[in-house]
Amino acid sequence: MGKRQLGEMQPFELVITLIIADLATIPMAETALPLLQGIIPLLTLVCIHYFICMLSRKSLFFRKLINGHPIILLDEKGVNYENLKKVNMTFNDLMEGIHTAGYFNLEELLYVILQTNGTMTIVNRSPYSPLTADDMKIKKAPATLPMIIATKGKLVEENMKVAKIDEKFILENVKKVGINSIKDILILTINNNGKIYVQPLKGKFETVDTNYKQGDNW
């Protein structure tokens, strides 16, 4: 089912998960039951899930049939009570979802959409949208992506190859903040702009600006 959390599963996936959990306990509790008879139903459910997902990816009709489709609970006219009834929700359920998303006033919202996995997507009205740097014509520094280079006293060789740095480069820069050995590092990251974040095994973290110029590698 991938790396999705329990709350992000489709309804049929949650059902399969619960069934698998029940089936898995049978061969463990019934010692007289052959292990193979307990494994076959589990493998059958895994195969069923695989084929359902495959059909859902290839067929829009089948995807709607199995997963359903998003439903608009609130639009520019206000709360859509008919859609609320279709999904068996009350006004309290709607308000709880809105509050969880960080909104409290219905007049600030343009759309509230209930997704097929049960989560709510909220689009607020333009006058209530937060100002952005683009709105204020402010130039911001480009976003960066830190990469872990060392953790618990060990270097991450794979990431060092991507970043095209070596142990000598790391030691030259961490010595600036009083760290003399890789073994003394709890965690060290470097971002695209060459800024190092390093935290020793004991003590507060430090940041180091370097002359690193290979940030386009990742």
Side-chain angles (χ1 to χ4, degrees), residues 44-188:
T44 302
L45 284 175
V46 170
C47 292
I48 290 173
H49 176 264
Y50 173 80
F51 284 113
I52 289 176
C53 290
M54 183 180 66
L55 289 173
S56 296
R57 289 194 298 267
K58 294 182 178 296
S59 171
L60 181 61
F61 172 77
F62 189 79
R63 189 185 315 159
K64 289 183 178 180
L65 182 65
I66 296 296
N67 298 336
H69 56 85
I71 294 179
I72 297 176
L73 303 180
L74 182 145
D75 54 28
E76 66 275 4
K77 296 180 180 178
V79 177
N80 190 319
Y81 184 60
E82 293 301 318
N83 284 347
L84 270 181
K85 290 195 296 183
K86 287 180 181 178
V87 295
N88 198 25
M89 289 181 63
T90 65
F91 287 110
N92 288 341
D93 296 328
L94 175 62
M95 294 303 296
E96 182 179 345
I98 292 172
H99 293 167
T100 302
Y103 298 93
F104 297 91
N105 300 311
L106 292 177
E107 67 271 15
E108 297 179 6
L109 310 179
L110 182 61
Y111 288 103
V112 176
I113 305 169
L114 181 66
Q115 304 295 345
T116 56
N117 61 6
T119 59
M120 286 187 184
T121 301
I122 296 176
V123 180
N124 52 354
R125 296 180 185 273
S126 297
Y128 300 98
S129 299
L131 289 174
T132 65
D134 186 60
D135 294 330
M136 301 298 294
K137 308 300 181 184
I138 299 174
K139 290 185 178 180
K140 294 181 65 177
T144 60
L145 177 64
M147 181 181 294
I148 296 176
I149 300 299
T151 175
K152 292 185 178 180
K154 295 182 180 180
L155 296 173
V156 183
E157 300 288 346
E158 181 180 352
N159 290 352
M160 290 176 63
K161 290 179 181 178
V162 174
K164 294 184 178 180
I165 59 177
D166 54 20
E167 185 174 347
K168 180 182 177 182
F169 172 85
I170 297 170
L171 287 173
E172 286 177 353
N173 286 284
V174 297
K175 283 181 179 179
K176 298 175 182 177
V177 292
I179 299 175
N180 297 313
S181 173
I182 299 296
K183 294 181 179 179
D184 296 330
I185 296 174
L186 178 65
I187 184 169
L188 183 147

Side-chain angles (χ1 to χ4, degrees), residues 27 30 32-44:
E30 297 291 339
L33 184 68
L35 185 61
L36 185 61
Q37 292 186 20
I39 293 176
I40 291 175
L42 297 177
L43 292 177
T44 302

